[in-house]
Amino acid sequence: MEEAQRSLLLSSAARFPPPEGARLSYGTAGFRADASLLRSTVFRAGILAALRALKTRSVIGLMITASHNKVSDNGVKISDPSGEMLSQDWEPFADSLAAAPTADRLLEVVAEFAGLQRIEFDGGKVEVLVGRDTRPSGPSLLEAAKLGIGSIIGAVAVDVGILTTPQLHWMVRASNRSTQASEFDYLEQLSRSFRLVSWCLMDLIPGGSESNKKNDKLVVDGANGVGGEKLLVLKEMLNLKDLEIEVWNSGREGGVLNEGVGADFVQKEKVVPSGFGLQDVGIRCASLDGDADRLVYFTVPSYSNKIELVDGDKILSLFAVFIKEQLSILNKEAGASTEDGYQPRIGIVQTAYANGASTDYLKQLGLEVVLTPTGVKYLHHKATQYDIGIYFEANGHGTILFSEPFLHWLDAKNSELSSVAEGCSEQQKAASRLLAVSKLINPAVGDALSGMLLVEAILQYEGWSIHRWSQLYHDLPSKQLKVKVADRTAVVTANAETEVVKPPGIQEAINAETAKYPKGRCFIRPSGTEDVIRVYAEASTQDAADSLANSVAQLVDKFLGHSSS
Ligand code: NG1
Ligand code: ZN
């Protein structure tokens, strides 16, 4: 590292000492904390993003958001060149950078890591796209990020404004593929591919094109965040005739981000979000989270404020049913497809939070289901190992990944079928539908907006109401609790977080408690985004699930001691 680079880093780092008494780590989804603690961390994340850009010689993304957390929190996460989360082998470096107590130590950490990674500081120009959600702390953290990026010679921060997290990931991916990569291009791509999907799914419906087309309504809770605003813009571009989309809590009405609204609230509390009420009874409703990478559906019953939840597991199941159906049409009497012997492998990826009834249902469909630890970085990575990888967290974060070889095969099959058939065969329609879906769904990361459009298209194709969809299977009653403890890192888990290996003895105690409940299942894990241990319990009745969760929360207290805070 040359002297000019060293002194630039030293002088800028001196302006951003780490917060006293807070040690932040790159958790499930980047760094997250009270926004007042984050200027130094975001500055350092800027350095990290710039180094990642130098190392990969590609465009990198830096997103300032704390997703579904309260409005006073904020956070920062990095997108790799493909639009995926930051490579996990860089996370320990992120932690060391954030923790460096002085500018000198920070310089040492950078120099050591750059040496190990053989990063060359040759002044070559690289770009970091910087996006942020609507939090009031965003602008000041944006400045910190820009200064961090600018303290690596050659790295340029490009402010791409207020975006959803999936938009930023999509833009990074598109930039590195040298395709059109602006926010407008994203919205254009979504509306163009939705039109294509609608055409392929509706006009290529077996037995006629008009049967399922009806004027239908969807009411969306935008969490008072960025997703609501972007959906309003997208809605204008889509100019839909067969579907009316209303957006509440768009952020334009002045409500507080994520307060009593949004996908996390709806999924965890199972209560009608603010702004929704009797006028929405019986209507299909959806909820986005604060940065629009999560999506859940729900209905408002007339008799209570408890919603009927259609969560990420059911979105996954809907997608899986549809894709399986299209593949079987494609392979039926498929002279052509069996000749080449290609059998696409579908993988369903869930976490331990997936409702047990969903996992049973998916397995009964004959699908391969695997569990990974919590956090989309794990699910996404696993899903890339299949021709079609469908991953979802129960909280509504997920997408479908199609492998490049599978898409090439599908493209070739589509052309082959269209050249041999008179008119459009069922097989060719199925190939076109799958190709259209691959264009609509965001391949970089779970995306509430593109996921929602796909749900809407599939429901119309199947001719299903939200109630019919919800009845694919019945969720087992479940309960989630958070327990504050003195040190959450004292809990260490294994087997996709289904077992606790530390502290000793607690897993046996959880097992003994769980065994008391029919269909009981329970696990605990330290949160990666909040300073808590999370408890998840499932059982045959709601009372039993509540009671199992409470007993295990007490075990956590007993084994780990209550936090003094
Ligand atoms: P933590 O706090 O590690 O449980 C939460 C969600 C994750 C993921 C991240 C990132 C639950 C139980 N956990 O992580 O699934 O979405 O936030 O936003 O919902
Ligand atoms: Zn989110």
Side-chain angles (χ1 to χ4, degrees):
M1 204 191 291
E2 305 225 326
E3 193 43 46
Q5 176 64 80
R6 295 173 73 85
S7 59
L8 177 59
L9 257 176
L10 272 179
S11 61
S12 49
R15 296 172 54 194
F16 293 95
E20 269 175 38
R23 193 180 167 106
L24 305 182
S25 76
Y26 201 93
T28 325
F31 294 105
R32 252 181 230 188
D34 189 278
S36 63
L37 298 173
L38 276 173
R39 271 176 59 77
S40 159
T41 313
V42 173
F43 164 79
R44 290 154 189 237
I47 298 179
L48 177 111
L51 292 173
R52 187 80 187 139
L54 270 190
K55 166 75 188 177
T56 57
R57 298 285 156 172
S58 304
V59 177
I60 291 290
L62 183 151
M63 182 73 195
I64 300 169
T65 176
S67 181
H68 58 278
N69 288 35
K70 55 184 190 285
V71 67
S72 52
D73 282 356
N74 215 326
V76 59
K77 49 190 173 188
I78 310 289
S79 159
D80 253 359
S82 60
E84 292 178 23
M85 303 290 175
L86 173 70
S87 172
Q88 282 169 48
D89 56 351
W90 275 49
E91 289 182 10
F93 171 57
D95 290 345
S96 316
L97 255 188
T102 60
D104 285 323
R105 179 62 198 138
L106 186 130
L107 184 62
E108 273 169 33
V109 170
V110 170
E112 269 167 35
F113 186 73
L116 277 173
Q117 292 281 334
R118 297 176 205 279
I119 296 173
E120 293 192 23
F121 295 90
D122 55 8
K125 188 176 165 234
V126 284
E127 280 184 358
V128 178
L129 307 188
V130 188
R132 63 188 163 95
D133 69 14
T134 51
R135 281 162 214 269
S137 53
S140 110
L141 294 176
L142 169 72
E143 290 315 309
K146 281 183 178 167
L147 283 166
I149 296 161
S151 61
I152 298 296
I153 294 171
V156 179
V158 181
D159 176 3
V160 283
I162 294 180
L163 294 176
T164 71
T165 294
Q167 281 185 312
L168 180 78
H169 285 256
W170 185 93
M171 285 162 72
V172 169
R173 180 184 163 93
S175 304
N176 287 311
R177 297 179 147 225
S178 306
T179 52
Q180 304 282 62
S182 71
E183 182 186 4
F184 178 77
D185 296 320
Y186 164 92
L187 292 166
E188 259 285 306
Q189 151 98 14
L190 231 59
S191 41
R192 207 179 328 112
S193 43
F194 182 66
R195 275 192 288 276
L196 180 68
V197 164
S198 299
W199 185 80
C200 287
L201 266 61
M202 302 317 299
D203 291 0
L204 301 184
I205 275 183
S209 60
E210 291 300 317
S211 57
N212 292 29
K213 280 193 176 178
K214 52 180 183 271
N215 216 330
D216 207 358
K217 186 169 167 185
L218 169 71
V219 185
V220 183
D221 158 26
N224 291 322
V226 57
E229 177 62 35
K230 302 296 178 192
L231 180 56
L232 286 169
V233 178
L234 183 62
K235 186 181 141 179
E236 292 296 307
M237 291 172 78
L238 284 165
N239 192 17
L240 300 169
K241 292 190 186 64
D242 304 312
L243 173 67
E244 182 191 343
I245 301 181
E246 262 179 29
V247 187
W248 299 134
N249 306 327
S250 69
R252 288 185 185 176
E253 307 96 341
V256 180
L257 176 71
N258 295 334
E259 202 171 283
V261 295
D264 195 62
F265 172 81
V266 165
Q267 189 240 348
K268 300 251 164 47
E269 306 298 327
K270 301 193 180 89
V271 167
V272 177
S274 239
F276 284 63
L278 286 175
Q279 76 277 9
D280 304 304
V281 169
I283 295 175
R284 193 166 66 254
C285 299
S287 195
L288 321 176
D289 77 337
D291 61 343
D293 58 1
R294 290 194 197 172
L295 169 72
V296 294
Y297 273 73
F298 62 96
T299 51
V300 179
S302 56
Y303 47 86
S304 116
N305 76 335
K306 285 270 170 196
I307 53 147
E308 304 276 340
L309 177 69
V310 180
D311 64 2
D313 301 335
K314 273 212 175 112
I315 298 176
L316 185 157
S317 301
L318 180 73
F319 290 175
V321 164
F322 173 78
I323 285 180
K324 191 166 181 289
E325 201 174 277
Q326 300 310 313
L327 282 177
S328 70
I329 297 174
L330 196 54
N331 285 326
K332 213 187 291 167
E333 8 128 7
S337 65
T338 45
E339 266 162 39
D340 63 19
Y342 185 63
Q343 283 295 334
R345 230 179 121 213
I346 312 183
I348 306 292
V349 190
Q350 300 188 301
T351 71
Y353 288 104
N355 194 280
S358 76
T359 312
D360 287 348
Y361 171 76
L362 291 158
K363 285 185 176 164
Q364 272 163 23
L365 289 181
L367 294 164
E368 181 178 334
V369 183
V370 284
L371 292 194
T372 70
T374 304
V376 287
K377 57 191 176 191
Y378 301 112
L379 289 110
H380 189 102
H381 177 71
K382 190 71 202 171
T384 58
Q385 296 168 5
Y386 296 89
D387 291 307
I388 306 173
I390 316 177
Y391 74 84
F392 261 87
E393 296 188 308
N395 61 33
H397 190 140
T399 191
I400 310 174
L401 303 183
F402 295 92
S403 73
E404 291 290 337
F406 173 69
L407 288 177
H408 281 137
W409 175 80
L410 201 55
D411 235 345
K413 182 80 24 204
N414 195 26
S415 320
E416 184 189 314
L417 288 165
S418 62
S419 67
V420 294
E422 291 266 319
C424 205
S425 71
E426 280 311 309
Q427 281 173 275
Q428 195 210 333
K429 288 177 187 173
S432 310
R433 290 181 196 123
L434 288 170
L435 281 168
V437 166
S438 76
K439 295 192 170 74
L440 175 60
I441 200 82
N442 191 329
V445 76
D447 182 336
L449 297 182
S450 79
M452 192 180 86
L453 293 180
L454 184 55
V455 167
E456 292 302 312
I458 297 179
L459 287 180
Q460 281 223 17
Y461 170 79
E462 302 287 359
W464 286 356
S465 66
I466 186 167
H467 305 287
R468 169 66 187 83
W469 169 24
S470 182
Q471 278 161 12
L472 283 178
Y473 59 83
H474 294 286
D475 278 326
L476 276 168
S478 67
K479 179 73 183 173
Q480 283 199 51
L481 291 176
K482 303 181 202 180
V483 186
K484 271 212 158 264
V485 294
D487 176 16
R488 72 184 150 131
T489 62
V491 172
V492 179
T493 62
N495 288 343
E497 301 173 326
T498 53
E499 264 174 57
V500 187
V501 289
K502 268 189 205 162
I506 191 168
Q507 185 60 52
E508 289 71 15
I510 295 174
N511 292 346
E513 204 49 48
T514 308
K516 296 178 189 163
Y517 296 86
K519 298 205 172 192
R521 182 169 75 91
C522 185
F523 66 93
I524 65 167
R525 56 175 278 280
S527 160
T529 60
E530 291 174 60
D531 199 10
V532 294
I533 298 292
R534 293 195 195 280
V535 177
Y536 177 89
E538 221 171 70
S540 56
T541 66
Q542 191 60 55
D543 283 349
D546 292 353
S547 151
L548 176 55
N550 280 320
S551 319
V552 170
Q554 281 166 22
L555 286 174
V556 172
D557 248 352
K558 184 173 140 208
F559 275 80
L560 287 128
H562 204 279
S563 137
S564 51
S565 66

